Structures are given as structure tokens and as C-alpha cells.
Amino acid sequence: MNDSKYHGATDAELGFLKEIVRMLPAGVTVQDARGNLILVNDAAARHLGMVGSRPTPDLTQRQAACRQAMQAGHPVVAEESVHDGTARQVLLTTHRPIRLAGRDLLLSASSDITEQKNFEDQLFRSAYFDELTGLPSRRVIEHRVNGILAHERSNERFALAFLDIDNFKHINDYYGHSVGDALLVELSKRLGRDLRETDMLSRISGDEFLLLLSPIKSEEEVAEFIQATLKRLTAPFFIDSSEIFGSASVGVSLYPDHGRSFEVLRQNADIAMYRVKNGGKGSAAFFDSGMEREALARMKIEQSLRLAILEKRFCCAFQSKVDIRTQAVKGIEALVRLRDDEGVIQAPGSFINLAVELGLIDELTHLVLTEIVRSIDLINDTFGAEASISINVAAKQAGNPEFMRSFAKALEQTGFPKRFMIEVTEDAFVATNHFQSEILPIFRKLGVGISIDDFGIGFSSLSALADVTADEIKIDRSFITDIHKRPRSQGILRAIESLSEALGMTVIAEGLESYEELAYLQAATKIRYAQGYYFARPIFLEELKLATPAASEARVSIASRPAQQNRQGYSRAGGYRR
């Protein structure tokens, strides 16, 4: 800048210039070579906390940057953090050395980027930390593991544990999402207790956690730590006046024994965790090669299941519900079956649970309904036009309002929704607190009946039954088998029968297979209806087509098949029964 211009400036012009500098929105300071402040405008005074009677701010950070700029002889850009109590202000400052009027000076200009930095910090935390628990995200623990692996320290071992909270969906459905979230927070605190600085706990999804233990000396050391962690979870959690019990299933993989990359170690820990889930939950298992073979077999089943849906190899078998006193058919139950690659019929036990887990069960249920509608004339000719038609709905589906609304709409579009009965297991009523309030009224409006399937083996009690709104209750076959020989089961049966009668529910005895069981029900109970091999095995559409020329005779034969039906080779082992 030309100094001669200043000598020619009037005092008014200089005053005007100073006022402009004072009012600039950017913070401007000028320092001499010793770091003394010569000029501080209003914005800089606010930024540096030099307003009013506040104590002199700590300018050590700025003075260091200034010395660096003066020594370098060129501009330096730096972020500065200024703290006022607990509040933090972040400035982006450019320090520019200048020579003016024969003096070496430093001109600094600052802008407040606090909001921008807070937003960046928020984005960083959302990307790398779980908002609910504050735990690191999957990408953080993956980065940590990859960092350990990059050092190629062959003598340093570590463990990766995959933890899945048991029955969390039931807890979430029954107590509500706010309680479920609070439970996850408390669980994460217990899981993270006694960790070293080199260990890490990460929440990778809703109820799934990854735990890195590094370094480790032995498998026994890891097992001891995991068992202590599981033991901590056995104590009840007290949340919103509710006493909740939690547990976790844990799978563990070791480096380098079970893999040499993060993804392989995580997958193997996941495989080990599923072994625990299938074996009873609430414990831990280390990965072994046998588990990998099981996982590959499971993957093969999954692929064949998806292919079977695409190729429409699922079909329906129909089993009648019979009046045990008149032998008349009251209704039928549609049972889904799978024809494998060789045309052999597979019972649901081989695929239903996997279909539920993979989210394919919704499509299967709609396929069953489609086949019923396509074959309604055959069904009417064989079983009678007044027979109700029952379709099974999994508890997971019953707790999904979106699916249930779409299914209700599909039932309505058939043109005969009042013919249908939806069969759900009792835990759908007990564990899904919105089933009765939100979902059931939709089906009631259509005239669709509701049946409680497999009653007596789930989570409910007779007192819970009093709060359930259903038309039909199906007593699980475990209570019916050899009922004439089992006094205790007889007492339970009478209690269920009495309460169901008081509540206006029809009782169906499932799995009736012998004359003795039938004779007991006829003589000692008021139960009118039963379903089982004594009356009829499930039959397929091909058989229904053969029955059409003599439909009336077919209805009689299906409703009154004696026990010799079983002697024709249609046993439970034959894969027809659900």
C-alpha cells in the first residue's frame, strides 16, 4: 500500500475508514512483531471474548499461529477454538504478514464457522456413532480391525464376538419402542463394562452388537470374559416400572484361527451366533468348520426356496375340520406344501421358519390365497360351499400392520371374505400389543373369522385368553394325543373348554388320530369339532379334481374316513401334515 495516500488523507477520511474497519462483519486484528495487538475491530473483540469486563482471553493459540506466519513470510490459514465456559466457538482465520509504514505487522481476518463445525460434527457422529447408545458404528470397528490386520503382527491375536439380543422383537412389541430403546441403552452399558482401551463395542443394527477384544492370550480368556458378560445380563432391567429380563446369543471368531479379514471373521462369528440361537439362546459358542458346512447347507435351502417361489412350485393341501357328532365338514384348513426338484412333497417344517426369517412368508401367504381363489369351485364341490376356509398367518406377519392391511384387501377382492378364517398362534395376541386394537378390527369389518392356532404351547395363559377377541380356538395336538389316558391333560382340556364356551369361542381339537381319542371327546366333553388323520388327511388339488365327478360322495368320504386311512400309508412321517 502506498504510504503517501495516507499523508494526503483528511482526518475525516481516516475516521471514516476506521469506522468501516470497526463495523466489518469479519473479525480483524493487527499485531506487531512482538505479538501485541494494535487494532481489534468489534467482531474480533466478540470472537476473542474481549467484550465488557470479561477476563483477558488466552491467546496462546493465536500467538503461535502468528509467529509461524511472521517467520514463514506468507499467509497461514488456521482453525481456532475459543472457549467461553462450556460454550465453544470455532474461527477460521487467515494470518497475513505485511509491511506498512516501515513496520512488520500481521493482519488477521476471522470468520465464525461454529455452526458449520457443529453440523460437521453431527454428520461425523451420525456416520460413525450410533445415535441411541453412543457406541461406534460398524465402519468404526471395521476400521479398527483392519488397522490391526495391516500391522501384520503374527504374534497378536484378537477375538471378534457377534452378539444378538434374544427375543428383542417380542419385548419391543409388548412394551413399546420407547421401552425397547431404553433397554438397548442399558444393555449396551452392561455389555461395555470392563472393556480395556484397546477393546471396542459397536452397535451394528437394531439388536446386534460386535465386540472386539484385542489383544488376547487364549480362547479360554475370551470364554471367561464372554461368560461374565452374559451373567451380567441375567439381572433384570427396571424400565418405566417394568421388570424386563434380557439375554444375548453370542458367536465368537478368533484371529488368525477363524479368518484373516474383518468380513470373514464377522461372518464366522455370525454363523456361530446362529448355532446358539438354534440351540436355545442365551449362551456363547466359538466358530468351527462344521458350522460353516451348516451355513452352506442353509444357503442352499435359501436359494432353492427363492427359486421355488419364482417357479411357483408351492401348492396347497386341504384338511377338513369335522363335527365329531354329525361327521359334517365345518371348514377346511389350507396347508402350504413345496414340491422339490424331483417332485417330492416337502412339509412346512423344512422351509416355513426360513421363509419367515428371510421375509418370504408374505409372498407364500398370498400364493396360498391365489390358489384357493383359483380352485374355489373344486373346493366347494368337495367340501361344501358353506365350509369356512382357514389360512395360517405367522406371528411376525400378524404384527406387521402393512402386510395385514394388504392381506385384508386381497381377501376382500376375492368377493367372498366371510368364507375365510385367519389362523394365528397365541403369541400374536400376547406379544403384539397392537394386533387387537389396530389389525383385528380390519378383518372384523370384512366378516373374516379369527382362530387361535396351537393353543396351549405358547406364552399365554387362561387369564390372557379372557382378553382375546377370537372366534375359534384350536387346542394343540399335544393335549389331544392319548387324552383318554392322561388325567392331567383332561383337566386342562376341561378348563380351556369352559372358558372358551363362556367367551363364545368355538373349540377345535387338533391332531385327533384314534378312535379312543374321539370316544373320549364325545363322552367327556362338549367339544363339537376336531381336525386330524382319524377323519381325513390333507388332500391336494389333483385329488380334488378326481373327486369332482362324485362331489357329494367325496364330501361324505372326507368327513367320515375311519382310522384305516392311516393304514394306507399317510402318516405324519409321509410329509403331508403341517
Side-chain angles (χ1 to χ4, degrees):
M1 184 177 290
N2 193 338
D3 293 350
S4 62
K5 291 183 179 180
Y6 283 100
H7 295 300
T10 66
D11 290 342
E13 289 173 330
L14 288 174
F16 179 71
L17 197 60
K18 287 181 180 179
E19 191 66 14
I20 289 177
V21 172
R22 184 183 70 80
M23 297 177 64
L24 284 173
V28 177
T29 63
V30 177
Q31 295 171 265
D32 61 19
R34 296 180 179 180
N36 298 317
L37 288 168
I38 299 174
L39 183 148
V40 179
N41 75 347
D42 291 354
R46 288 194 303 272
H47 292 166
L48 299 176
M50 302 171 65
V51 180
S53 58
R54 293 181 182 179
T56 303
D58 182 6
L59 299 178
T60 304
Q61 182 182 10
R62 170 164 287 215
Q63 289 170 348
C66 291
R67 285 193 298 270
Q68 179 185 354
M70 296 285 279
Q71 292 170 1
H74 57 72
V76 173
V77 180
E79 283 188 11
E80 299 177 296
S81 293
V82 181
H83 293 273
D84 182 9
T86 58
R88 181 192 72 151
Q89 189 176 37
V90 183
L91 306 175
L92 182 64
T93 305
T94 300
H95 303 288
R96 183 185 298 274
I98 60 174
R99 186 168 181 80
L100 190 65
R103 301 173 66 184
D104 289 325
L105 303 173
L106 190 74
L107 174 64
S108 301
S110 303
S111 58
D112 188 344
I113 60 170
T114 304
E115 288 189 12
Q116 177 184 336
K117 291 300 294 184
N118 288 341
F119 181 66
E120 289 176 359
D121 290 346
Q122 183 180 353
L123 288 178
F124 177 83
R125 289 202 62 82
S126 64
Y128 294 102
F129 291 88
D130 175 51
E131 183 178 358
L132 179 65
T133 63
L135 294 175
S137 67
R138 172 189 163 128
R139 67 173 63 185
V140 176
I141 196 169
E142 181 176 1
H143 180 75
R144 172 74 68 85
V145 170
N146 287 335
I148 297 173
L149 295 172
H151 284 84
E152 297 281 346
R153 291 193 293 251
S154 58
N155 61 334
E156 181 171 326
R157 303 177 67 200
F158 65 84
L160 198 64
F162 197 112
L163 302 94
D164 184 274
I165 307 305
D166 298 325
N167 303 317
F168 182 72
K169 185 182 185 305
H170 286 301
I171 294 170
N172 223 12
D173 288 341
Y174 186 77
Y175 293 99
H177 289 279
S178 60
V179 172
D181 286 348
L183 177 62
L184 286 174
V185 172
E186 296 305 315
L187 278 164
S188 66
K189 291 178 182 177
R190 292 193 193 180
L191 292 173
R193 198 180 302 171
D194 298 334
L195 294 183
R196 302 165 297 183
E197 288 187 4
T198 53
D199 300 329
M200 179 179 287
L201 177 67
S202 167
R203 183 185 178 211
I204 61 173
S205 70
D207 60 348
E208 294 179 333
F209 297 80
L210 270 183
L211 173 62
L212 170 67
L213 300 176
S214 174
I216 61 169
K217 295 179 181 178
S218 65
E219 180 177 319
E220 291 72 24
E221 175 191 19
V222 176
E224 184 178 344
F225 181 86
I226 295 295
Q227 288 304 321
T229 301
L230 291 176
K231 187 174 181 180
R232 281 199 299 271
L233 298 184
T234 59
F237 296 86
F238 296 94
I239 300 173
D240 285 357
S241 302
S242 297
E243 184 179 17
I244 303 173
F245 290 87
S247 66
S249 297
V250 185
V252 186
S253 61
L254 304 175
Y255 171 82
D257 311 57
H258 304 140
R260 292 180 174 272
S261 71
F262 169 81
E263 194 56 33
V264 170
L265 290 165
R266 186 203 63 78
Q267 288 177 354
N268 289 341
D270 191 8
I271 289 170
M273 184 275 294
Y274 268 103
R275 165 71 70 84
V276 176
K277 283 283 189 187
N278 294 332
K281 305 179 182 180
S283 61
F286 285 85
F287 174 79
D288 62 51
S289 57
M291 295 178 182
E292 189 170 18
R293 288 192 295 270
E294 290 179 7
L296 289 173
R298 170 189 165 90
M299 187 181 300
K300 186 176 180 181
I301 294 173
E302 176 183 340
Q303 290 172 344
S304 64
L305 188 58
R306 294 184 184 277
L307 185 61
I309 289 178
L310 288 175
E311 295 179 350
K312 294 181 170 53
R313 285 193 276 111
F314 286 94
C315 56
C316 285
F318 298 93
Q319 188 175 35
S320 55
K321 301 176 183 178
V322 178
D323 187 321
I324 63 175
R325 288 169 171 79
T326 68
Q327 308 297 303
V329 175
K330 173 188 183 291
I332 56 172
E333 180 180 0
L335 306 171
V336 65
R337 298 290 186 262
L338 169 64
R339 298 184 191 276
D340 64 18
D341 296 336
E342 299 177 357
V344 178
I345 298 294
Q346 301 292 328
S350 64
F351 62 83
I352 281 293
N353 289 339
L354 186 58
V356 173
E357 184 181 324
L358 296 173
L360 301 175
I361 191 66
D362 293 355
E363 192 168 353
L364 277 185
T365 305
H366 279 290
L367 285 175
V368 169
L369 179 59
T370 300
E371 186 163 352
I372 290 171
V373 174
R374 186 188 302 122
S375 310
I376 190 63
D377 291 337
L378 282 172
I379 291 171
N380 290 343
D381 288 341
T382 307
F383 298 102
E386 302 301 320
S388 63
I389 305 171
S390 294
I391 300 178
N392 288 280
V393 170
K396 185 175 183 179
Q397 294 174 291
N400 181 353
E402 183 178 352
F403 166 76
M404 294 301 281
R405 290 191 186 99
S406 70
F407 190 55
K409 185 176 181 180
L411 290 174
E412 183 178 18
Q413 290 173 345
T414 65
F416 46 91
K418 294 181 180 180
R419 286 281 302 276
F420 289 100
M421 179 84 69
I422 301 300
E423 292 194 10
V424 293
T425 52
E426 53 190 302
D427 53 333
F429 288 90
V430 178
T432 312
N433 54 14
H434 56 266
F435 177 79
Q436 290 216 124
S437 60
E438 298 179 27
I439 296 171
L440 195 143
I442 299 172
F443 291 91
R444 288 284 180 221
K445 187 176 180 180
L446 296 176
V448 176
I450 303 295
S451 175
I452 307 175
D453 196 13
D454 300 332
F455 184 82
I457 61 171
F459 301 107
S460 72
S461 63
L462 294 183
S463 60
L465 183 61
D467 296 325
V468 169
T469 305
D471 303 288
E472 179 182 276
I473 178 171
K474 298 180 74 175
I475 301 173
D476 187 75
R477 70 175 307 273
S478 60
F479 292 99
I480 304 302
T481 301
D482 293 332
I483 184 69
H484 54 290
K485 301 178 183 178
R486 300 160 60 197
R488 292 178 66 85
S489 291
Q490 293 169 9
I492 294 172
L493 188 62
R494 284 194 296 271
I496 297 174
E497 178 191 2
S498 297
L499 184 54
S500 301
E501 184 180 13
L503 296 173
M505 298 182 192
T506 300
V507 178
I508 308 285
E510 287 191 285
L512 194 143
E513 296 193 356
S514 71
Y515 173 77
E516 290 78 13
E517 293 166 356
L518 173 64
Y520 176 82
L521 293 180
Q522 290 175 328
T525 74
K526 296 180 182 179
I527 294 175
R528 287 292 303 270
Y529 303 102
Q531 182 178 349
Y533 272 52
Y534 179 81
F535 296 108
R537 64 177 176 83
I539 61 175
F540 294 88
L541 290 180
E542 290 85 349
E543 298 168 296
L544 294 182
K545 291 174 183 177
L546 294 175
T548 51
S552 59
E553 292 181 15
R555 284 201 295 272
V556 173
S557 64
I558 290 170
S560 57
R561 294 176 193 226
Q564 71 260 24
Q565 179 67 63
N566 284 335
R567 294 198 291 270
Q568 296 177 1
Y570 301 108
S571 65
R572 286 193 301 278
Y576 285 110
R577 185 156 183 159
R578 185 169 57 113

